[in-house]
Amino acid sequence: MPPFDGAANVACTFPPPAKRQRGAGSSTSDVAASMASALPIETRALQWSKSERALQLVSVRLEDVADLNDPHAVIVRVHLAGVCGTDLHVLDGEFDTPPRVILGHEFVGVVAAIGSAVWHVTVGDRVVVNPNEACNRCRHCFGGLVHFCQHGSLSKNIGLARNGGMAEFCVVPDSVVHPLPAVMTLRAAVLVEPMSCVARGFDNLRKDSLTCSSRFLVLGAGIAGLLWALLLHHHGFRDITITEPRACRRRIAQELGIFKQVAPPENLSTSDADQPTDGGDHEGGFDVVAECSGDASAIDQALPLLRCGGQLCIFGFAHNDARVSLSPWVLLMKELSIVTSFLNPRTFPKAIAVLGALEGDKLLDFARLGVETFRLDDHKEAFERLRAGTIVKAVFMLA
């Protein structure tokens, strides 16, 4: 065997990825000029004014709300943008934002222009954007906890901390742009961001105690609750119950056809669930409860419904001053586990794959999910109907 040659070994490296559109000779100013020339001077957008506490449909110059000189910039022509419950919290003044920001952290579209350093997508590609960027340099990022990055994550969230996708065009860093499979529709892809958060919650569950006969309870039939149920269905679980106080949303859940039971919360009884003193031999109760409503009282309701060894996943965003009542004795005697889920660290690829499979199974039809589309001009109606609960999700069509 020949002696190790360090220099030769270093030389045997993979070549850098080839750029798919621009050559390395393009200057930053040339690229910026090219990007600007390919786009309209103004773009319409839904902009939140913190001081006025108002969401306004405005026309803005793209160069005034984004850095077109960034070689890593990708300009997306937005086709669909979803409204999240977090957006409602913004309008209620419960989520801090810059003085003015274009909302929208769930959006898909087509690449309209790219900077000189972008190589993994090109003009015309269909893409979905992860709104959470990480610095990839801090201890949280090095430890794989990119969602706790103090230099990124929520502090740089696209659509909350900086301008987002409820606009005809949005400028984002290339690191958060994910190309879509050719067979995946944009309608399915607009659900990638919320599904990626659900995938994180599922990943945090302890799987060693789960079987195909495990019983699941989902609290809340909003889009988060329905996506939780769809993910469980995708993984082969069939004993899924969902509770929802609003009759219109219960009807939507019932028509989806994947639940063993759809019921109002008050119909659930703890009488047939395992009790700390009876040996845990009851047939009722649930192995996993996913709390998706953001209502602290739902957590109080969930714990007594868990079987011995059961797990509660707190997924919904409750108000920061909400409190729950826990019995350490019950937690101990039933060996209950409580897990939480925050954002979507490295789960975007998984969400894309799961939604692609669900779309193939005809489970992502907007009408079946209670999703309705709106134009930007109708944003007031969209937010009002979502808040009233007459729809499960509002999605803006921009192209």
Side-chain angles (χ1 to χ4, degrees):
M1 179 181 292
F4 173 76
D5 186 340
N9 186 67
V10 172
C12 294
T13 57
F14 290 106
K19 296 181 186 299
R20 293 179 58 188
Q21 186 187 41
R22 296 188 206 285
S26 300
S27 69
T28 301
S29 59
D30 289 341
V31 173
S34 175
M35 294 174 81
S37 65
L39 301 167
I41 296 175
E42 293 189 339
T43 180
R44 297 201 312 156
L46 286 180
Q47 187 178 69
W48 167 250
S49 172
K50 184 177 179 180
S51 61
E52 300 175 44
R53 292 195 63 171
L55 185 64
Q56 303 164 333
L57 181 58
V58 299
S59 290
V60 295
R61 293 175 62 89
L62 199 59
E63 57 266 36
D64 292 339
V65 295
D67 180 10
L68 300 185
N69 292 309
D70 184 352
H72 287 280
V74 175
I75 301 183
V76 178
R77 173 67 167 102
V78 180
H79 282 229
L80 297 169
V83 181
C84 175
T86 305
D87 297 315
L88 295 179
H89 287 300
V90 171
L91 269 60
D92 292 337
E94 298 173 352
F95 202 100
D96 194 28
T97 67
R100 291 187 181 275
V101 65
I102 297 170
L103 297 184
H105 58 274
E106 305 174 3
F107 60 101
V108 295
V110 174
V111 175
I114 60 174
S116 59
V118 179
W119 59 267
H120 75 295
V121 294
T122 192
V123 173
D125 284 353
R126 301 175 321 124
V127 295
V128 60
V129 175
N130 181 354
N132 300 305
E133 183 184 17
C135 75
N136 294 314
R137 296 171 180 83
C138 68
R139 70 178 180 89
H140 293 303
C141 290
F142 283 151
L145 301 175
V146 294
H147 53 316
F148 294 127
C149 175
Q150 298 301 300
H151 310 285
S153 190
L154 278 183
S155 66
K156 294 182 68 175
N157 178 276
I158 298 167
L160 294 173
R162 50 182 169 166
N163 291 313
M166 289 185 190
E168 294 167 329
F169 290 88
C170 184
V171 184
V172 297
D174 60 353
S175 61
V176 300
V177 178
H178 293 251
L180 291 172
V183 295
M184 191 175 198
T185 66
L186 291 179
R187 285 193 162 215
V190 78
L191 299 174
V192 167
E193 194 279 340
M195 179 60 90
S196 71
C197 296
V198 170
R200 172 63 175 180
F202 182 79
D203 286 350
N204 284 351
L205 293 176
R206 190 182 68 251
K207 308 299 192 303
D208 57 351
S209 62
L210 298 181
T211 69
C212 60
S213 61
S214 294
R215 303 189 69 204
F216 291 82
L217 171 62
V218 179
L219 302 180
I223 194 62
L226 294 185
L227 290 179
W228 255 98
L230 287 171
L231 181 62
L232 294 173
H233 183 86
H234 170 75
H235 283 289
F237 299 108
R238 294 296 181 266
D239 195 334
I240 309 170
T241 294
I242 192 166
T243 62
E244 168 60 46
R246 297 166 176 170
C248 54
R249 287 190 172 181
R250 289 199 302 271
R251 184 180 66 254
I252 291 170
Q254 189 72 55
E255 292 175 355
L256 195 56
I258 63 171
F259 295 103
K260 183 175 182 179
Q261 181 183 9
V262 178
E266 59 269 19
N267 281 21
L268 293 180
S269 171
T270 61
S271 61
D272 60 347
D274 293 342
Q275 302 303 317
T277 56
D278 63 8
D281 58 353
H282 287 251
E283 292 298 320
F286 299 92
D287 298 290
V288 175
V289 176
E291 198 300 295
C292 301
S293 69
D295 186 344
S297 66
I299 298 174
D300 286 329
Q301 179 196 29
L303 286 171
L305 296 169
L306 284 169
R307 289 173 164 178
C308 290
Q311 303 177 72
L312 167 65
C313 180
I314 301 176
F315 183 82
F317 271 80
H319 197 276
N320 61 8
D321 63 0
R323 298 292 182 268
V324 298
S325 299
L326 299 176
S327 168
W329 186 76
V330 172
L331 294 177
L332 173 68
M333 294 299 291
K334 294 176 69 172
E335 281 198 352
L336 302 181
S337 300
I338 299 177
V339 299
T340 61
S341 177
F342 179 60
L343 299 183
N344 58 351
R346 308 191 192 285
T347 53
F348 243 63
K350 179 181 296 187
I352 292 172
V354 168
L355 288 168
L358 290 171
E359 186 173 33
D361 293 337
K362 312 299 183 184
L363 288 172
L364 294 183
D365 180 74
F366 272 16
R368 292 183 69 187
L369 288 174
V371 180
E372 290 205 19
T373 57
F374 299 84
R375 297 294 180 183
L376 285 184
D377 302 88
D378 302 320
H379 64 276
K380 291 183 179 179
E381 179 189 357
F383 277 85
E384 287 171 359
R385 293 191 61 191
L386 182 61
R387 189 185 296 278
T390 58
I391 58 175
V392 170
K393 190 171 189 65
V395 171
F396 291 115
M397 295 183 61
L398 297 108

